Amino acid sequence: MSGGSQTDGASTPAFTADWFSRSIPAWKHLFPRVMPRPQRILEIGAFEGRSTCFMLEHILPPDLSGEIHCVDSWAGGVEHGGIAMDAVFDRFRTNVAAMLKRFPQHKVIGHRALSSTALRDLHAKGFAGTFDFVYVDGSHQAADVLEDLVLAFPLLRRGGVVICDDYIWQRQRPGEEDVLDTPKIAIDSFTTIFRRRLRLLDWHSTYQVAFQKTVA
Ligand SMILES: C[S@@+](CC[C@H](N)C(=O)[O-])C[C@H]1O[C@@H](n2cnc3c(N)ncnc32)[C@H](O)[C@@H]1O
């Protein structure tokens, strides 16, 4: 992995949390139809690398080189209080290193920073219009999610796909929801305001929203 010190991986990835497996059937349905061979992926929110490892194995093309840029502060969001995030970052590096031994044609580039900084850096480095797929799964605060979408969208090429996780996520008990503490209002606002530049994809998950960029 670049973007952090190299770690020799154990042969099999190890995870302590699973927020991703529920999405696998829908991803396996969507990708072959809409985005069969994404070669450059941007992931906002990688945690221990569970979704990163899945993309290395199942989403990047097996016969071509590919790369995943993982943007994460590895400081946790407001919902990650009490989690030792430096240990999470170590597990991310170990898990990804293990997977890259199986898929040496691919690269994972870690960007350990707030997404608001890292995404602007990607613009400054000339990545606008170069990503095939963006997975948005970082902060769940509405203002952060909106900023992630506004900054990530121009990094995507025409025809590129965005999947937003945690569409219906909320921390508060029913009846006490704080709408600004949820991704939904940001995802709805973005897809409404940008609707002439994207098309919402037919999607088989209530927990995620997917759309395709229709402009250059
Ligand atoms: C839900 S986890 C990602 C899970 C991962 N995609 C998976 O499926 O296994 C969210 C991650 O976003 C990161 N994060 C939260 N707010 C962030 C921000 N403003 N900038 C960058 N990363 C952030 C956290 O450190 C955490 O690792």
Side-chain angles (χ1 to χ4, degrees):
M1 184 185 97
S2 28
S5 54
Q6 184 88 28
T7 309
D8 269 347
S11 54
T12 314
F15 304 104
T16 64
D18 185 1
W19 302 303
F20 183 70
S21 297
R22 64 185 170 215
S23 304
I24 289 174
W27 282 43
K28 286 193 165 169
H29 179 73
L30 180 100
F31 275 92
R33 288 186 305 135
V34 179
M35 176 54 65
R37 294 167 81 78
Q39 277 186 263
R40 182 175 282 154
I41 294 175
L42 171 61
E43 176 173 46
I44 306 171
F47 200 66
E48 298 172 321
R50 184 182 278 274
S51 42
T52 317
C53 288
F54 177 84
M55 291 190 279
L56 281 168
E57 185 168 13
H58 297 285
I59 303 298
L60 289 177
D63 53 342
L64 299 171
S65 62
E67 61 186 52
I68 306 178
H69 289 253
C70 294
V71 167
D72 199 309
S73 59
W74 280 284
V78 289
E79 70 277 19
H80 296 128
I83 298 181
M85 290 302 295
D86 281 337
V88 168
F89 181 53
D90 287 343
R91 279 200 295 283
F92 167 81
R93 289 191 303 165
T94 304
N95 289 335
V96 164
M99 196 56 90
L100 286 173
K101 283 185 180 159
R102 290 177 52 201
F103 300 97
Q105 72 276 29
H106 299 323
K107 277 197 298 189
V108 173
I109 300 102
H111 303 266
R112 190 173 190 179
L114 287 173
S115 54
S116 52
T117 301
L119 296 176
R120 286 183 172 88
D121 282 352
L122 287 170
H123 280 275
K125 287 176 180 155
F127 280 93
T130 67
F131 285 89
D132 300 305
F133 171 52
V134 180
Y135 184 39
V136 182
D137 189 19
S139 169
H140 295 356
Q141 302 295 292
D144 295 338
V145 177
L146 185 59
E147 190 174 21
D148 286 349
L149 286 167
V150 167
L151 288 172
F153 198 66
L155 293 171
L156 201 63
R157 69 166 168 84
R158 181 181 188 156
V161 168
V162 178
I163 295 179
C164 305
D165 194 42
D166 292 306
Y167 181 59
I168 56 170
W169 180 91
Q170 62 186 49
R171 280 200 301 153
Q172 293 81 15
R173 286 187 297 216
E176 297 175 7
E177 298 91 346
D178 173 359
V179 75
L180 299 184
D181 193 5
T182 72
K184 185 176 185 301
I185 189 174
I187 297 166
D188 287 343
S189 301
F190 183 85
T191 53
T192 302
I193 294 165
F194 280 73
R195 71 179 170 213
R196 294 192 181 130
R197 302 180 196 176
L198 59 83
R199 74 178 179 104
L200 286 168
L201 293 168
D202 166 26
W203 188 238
H204 300 268
S205 163
T206 48
Y207 222 80
Q208 298 191 326
V209 170
F211 55 88
Q212 186 163 34
K213 187 173 179 179
T214 55
V215 296

